[in-house]
Amino acid sequence: MAKKVTIQILADLAQEREERYHSHNPLAPGHRMCIGCGIPPIVNEVLLAIDKPVVVSTATGCLEVTTGVYPYTAWNTPWIHVNFQSAAAVIGGVEAAYNVLKKKGLIGEDIEFVAFGGDGGTYDIGFQALSAAVERGHNFLYVCYNNEGYQNTGYQKSSATPIGAYTKTTPVGSAKVGKQEPRKDLTMIMAAHGIPYVAQASPHIYRDLTRKVKKALTFKGPKFINVLQPCTLSWRFAPEDTMRLAKLAVETRYWPVYEVIHGKYWKVNIKPKRPKPIEEYIAAQPRWKHVLKYPEIVERIQKEVDDKWNHLLALEEMSKALAEKEGIDYEALFANPEDNKESQ
Ligand SMILES: Cc1ncc(C[n+]2csc(CCOP(=O)(O)OP(=O)(O)O)c2C)c(N)n1
Ligand code: SF4
């Protein structure tokens, strides 16, 4: 009897989850992203963390081409695809129009505005539009799903591609071994805009990502979250290893997860006690593992990782001291928004 009841409960739970997935999931199943692609969990975690109606804009890229193949759509929420460089400009325009309609009493409900762009559409071609939209102070959240290359067009390098990685435009040969330049640090650049909230996140720590979205939305004005997104096809790992790759990126400190409030207060969310060497992360990716034959390149990558990590820790320490000087409760600044709700 007990067994039968348990099976029924599990069946009900599965049914409920299924219904929730189909009725509330902002990005429905049936899109055409590659098996194991890191984009769908990121988009779903971000949008499921938002309790209000949402309008989404996306730049051209894998997310867009796989979710809006005419006459189908995977979007269960109002969605605008715009040209490659304009996701931030367009969501800013939509938010401005909404403000006018709200002022005229033509819209009553509160709506959130979210833009998604790949690293090509965010670090490179959409950067000017993004920087301008946040400078204008529009109230929106921009999420970069960062797969470190232009994947939709077959993997060309972007300014997020790491040193030594193979791409179609940074081949590996006797003259040059993959990409020569280090990754652009867009999260730092966005923090330098002094906007209310900036963060880095990883899809394998989905609770952290959810919390960051909720935290971001407690601020009015522009917010930016940069999420590392392992790309099965171009990084060339097995589809079941997506979250393992994301985890390794954090464990090696290649992708620190942290948040910045008003460009002033910094908090590193995860500090691996025994950080893994960068070789482990590199070795897991056929797009990159050729560099293991070149100790000087590995050393350069490890140095980049260590320098950035130490810089982040220094910023964290400095902001703690600053908060103290200003009489601000540093821990309260980064408190979980759900905790605040409970204590109200
Ligand atoms: C102005 C312009 N240049 C180039 C293209 C071709 N194009 C479409 S998607 C894309 C790559 C997008 O890369 P990214 O933003 O990193 O997103 P991902 O494909 O990785 O999702 C390119 C180069 C375009 N659509 N418009
Ligand atoms: S190419 Fe990469 S980013 Fe694009 S859908 Fe496939 S796995 Fe995802």
Side-chain angles (χ1 to χ4, degrees):
M1 187 62 184
K3 198 174 172 194
K4 205 170 173 188
V5 170
T6 312
I7 289 170
Q8 187 55 48
I9 290 170
L10 287 176
D12 289 349
L13 280 175
Q15 168 87 14
E16 194 190 304
R17 192 175 178 281
E18 187 74 5
E19 277 167 15
R20 181 171 141 71
Y21 196 67
H22 286 282
S23 61
H24 301 295
N25 226 26
L27 185 67
H31 52 70
R32 297 172 191 201
M33 275 174 263
C34 304
I35 298 170
C37 175
I39 299 175
I42 294 170
V43 172
N44 275 322
E45 290 311 333
V46 168
L47 295 180
L48 283 168
I50 305 173
D51 300 327
K52 293 178 190 159
V54 187
V55 176
V56 174
S57 85
T58 57
T60 310
C62 283
L63 174 60
E64 166 264 317
V65 296
T66 56
T67 55
V69 185
Y70 183 81
Y72 303 104
T73 178
W75 293 93
N76 275 329
T77 190
W79 172 69
I80 312 169
H81 162 237
V82 290
N83 60 1
F84 197 11
Q85 60 273 37
S86 303
V90 167
I91 206 70
V94 174
E95 189 256 354
Y98 160 79
N99 289 335
V100 172
L101 294 174
K102 206 164 183 200
K103 212 168 167 186
K104 288 184 174 174
L106 296 170
I107 293 182
E109 58 188 346
D110 288 341
I111 298 177
E112 296 290 355
F113 300 91
V114 179
F116 289 98
D119 48 291
T122 308
Y123 280 62
D124 297 342
I125 190 165
F127 177 67
Q128 181 188 349
L130 172 62
S131 178
V134 305
E135 192 267 338
R136 287 193 299 273
H138 291 290
N139 184 36
F140 70 103
L141 168 66
Y142 191 106
V143 177
C144 175
Y145 61 92
N146 175 10
N147 51 38
E148 302 189 329
Y150 293 63
Q151 308 305 0
N152 173 54
T153 39
Y155 194 22
Q156 294 80 28
K157 76 127 198 171
S158 79
S159 56
T161 310
I163 299 167
Y166 163 86
T167 72
K168 295 259 171 68
T169 44
T170 57
V172 177
S174 51
K176 283 182 183 168
V177 179
K179 193 187 175 212
Q180 302 295 295
E181 309 81 19
R183 297 174 280 167
K184 181 197 277 181
D185 196 335
L186 186 64
T187 313
M188 285 273 179
I189 295 169
M190 293 312 294
H193 285 70
I195 58 177
Y197 187 82
V198 167
Q200 269 195 185
S202 167
H204 82 284
I205 340 167
Y206 63 92
R207 285 207 180 101
D208 179 69
L209 178 55
T210 300
R211 187 188 66 78
K212 282 176 174 158
V213 173
K214 287 184 182 296
K215 183 81 190 174
L217 297 182
T218 62
F219 296 97
K220 199 162 165 51
K223 285 84 63 173
F224 174 82
I225 304 182
N226 199 352
V227 191
L228 186 72
Q229 179 249 307
C231 165
T232 344
L233 196 70
S234 301
W235 297 17
R236 301 186 194 160
F237 57 85
E240 62 271 25
D241 284 340
T242 309
M243 294 303 163
R244 186 172 78 86
L245 259 292
K247 189 164 179 269
L248 264 177
V250 174
E251 287 170 346
T252 52
R253 306 192 302 202
Y254 173 85
W255 190 256
V257 288
Y258 65 96
E259 50 198 328
V260 191
I261 293 179
H262 296 305
K264 255 170 103 173
Y265 309 105
W266 300 68
K267 185 178 177 75
V268 182
N269 308 110
I270 294 182
K271 294 177 183 153
K273 282 204 180 84
R274 275 183 291 278
K276 294 185 170 165
I278 195 67
E279 282 93 332
E280 274 195 45
Y281 182 51
I282 293 174
Q285 303 170 50
R287 65 147 179 174
W288 206 11
K289 67 178 183 188
H290 51 267
V291 302
L292 296 176
K293 288 186 272 176
Y294 305 89
E296 67 287 0
I297 301 181
V298 177
E299 214 173 285
R300 206 178 146 208
I301 298 166
Q302 185 69 65
K303 183 168 174 354
E304 183 210 88
V305 167
D306 293 346
D307 286 353
K308 283 199 176 297
W309 180 259
N310 292 333
H311 186 204
L312 266 181
L313 294 187
L315 286 166
E316 184 182 70
E317 281 314 305
M318 272 164 55
S319 55
K320 277 183 191 164
L322 179 67
E324 201 180 330
K325 205 169 146 197
E326 294 174 335
I328 288 172
D329 182 346
Y330 173 86
E331 291 305 330
L333 271 179
F334 292 96
N336 186 348
E338 299 290 296
D339 293 348
N340 291 347
K341 232 189 241 170
E342 277 157 27
S343 62
Q344 273 163 16

